[in-house]
Each structure stands twice: as C-alpha cells, then as structure tokens.
Amino acid sequence: MAKIIKTGVQENALKMINSNLRTLTGVNGILNASGEICLLNITVGSQRVSITVEKPFGDEILQEIRKKLTKETKTLAKKNAIVLDGNDLTVLENRHQEMESLGLESQGQEKKDEDRDK
C-alpha cells in the first residue's frame, strides 16, 4: 500500500506557520485595540529596550510585520501542501476586526447565549 512520507522540510514549515499564526494573533490584537500610545519591547541577543510611541506609528510598524508574516505563511503553506483552516485564514486576514466593527461577533455571542439558555 502506498504511503505519504512526511519530510523534515514540511515539518519545519508547519512549525514556522504555527509560530507565525501565534505572532499574528498577538499583532492583530494590538492593531485592533484602542489607545493612544504603544509600548514596544525590542530584544536583540542580550540587549533589551522599551520604546513608547504614538499608536498610529506603532501600528505602521506592526502592519509591516503583519504583511511580511502573512506573505511568508501563505507561501510556506502553498509550497509545502499545508492546508490552512478557517481560523488560520481569519488570523491571516485579520477578519476579527471586520466582524467586530459590524457587530457580528456580539450578535453571534448573544445567539449562543440564547441557545444555551433554552
């Protein structure tokens, strides 16, 4: 019987994709948050610095990081035949913000609460 053999490259790509998705989840949360200032912690080797910037400037930096990680994740998935599920695509496309701004998330939660109470 024929079998599919997982390669080390594919396993490493999957680890990188999962790492990128965790990072993107955090980045999305910060981008979608309200506030006026942003505290950035930067670590290089043993050197660490904290910088306070206005949120729009911090958002610009995070958008660039987000763009790079999203492109890398999609490329790795396509190249290594890794299927991204709906939750992964929601993170990649930052659709949480869209749902929230339309009030869909709160409506969905209210519906779940009503169904649970029945």
Side-chain angles (χ1 to χ4, degrees), residues 58-73:
D59 286 353
E60 285 180 35
I61 294 169
L62 290 174
Q63 286 289 8
E64 287 300 314
I65 292 169
R66 187 178 190 303
K67 184 178 174 181
K68 178 183 177 258
L69 287 175
T70 299
K71 182 178 179 180
E72 178 183 357
T73 301

Side-chain angles (χ1 to χ4, degrees), residues 13-78:
L14 183 59
K15 287 178 186 175
M16 181 62 78
I17 287 170
N18 287 330
S19 174
N20 287 354
L21 288 169
R22 282 190 302 274
T23 301
L24 284 167
T25 299
V27 168
N28 291 345
I30 293 169
L31 288 172
N32 297 337
S34 60
E36 296 178 19
I37 61 169
C38 206
L39 178 64
L40 301 174
N41 292 312
I42 302 170
T43 305
V44 177
S46 62
Q47 298 291 329
R48 183 179 206 152
V49 66
S50 294
I51 302 169
T52 303
V53 296
E54 293 179 8
K55 186 152 181 347
F57 180 71
D59 286 353
E60 285 180 35
I61 294 169
L62 290 174
Q63 286 289 8
E64 287 300 314
I65 292 169
R66 187 178 190 303
K67 184 178 174 181
K68 178 183 177 258
L69 287 175
T70 299
K71 182 178 179 180
E72 178 183 357
T73 301
K74 287 180 178 179
T75 301
L76 280 170
K78 185 175 181 178

Side-chain angles (χ1 to χ4, degrees), residues 28 66 70 74 88-96 98:
N28 291 345
R66 187 178 190 303
T70 299
K74 287 180 178 179
D88 299 336
L89 295 175
T90 298
V91 170
L92 287 174
E93 296 168 6
N94 195 10
R95 281 189 267 159
H96 177 75
E98 295 169 13

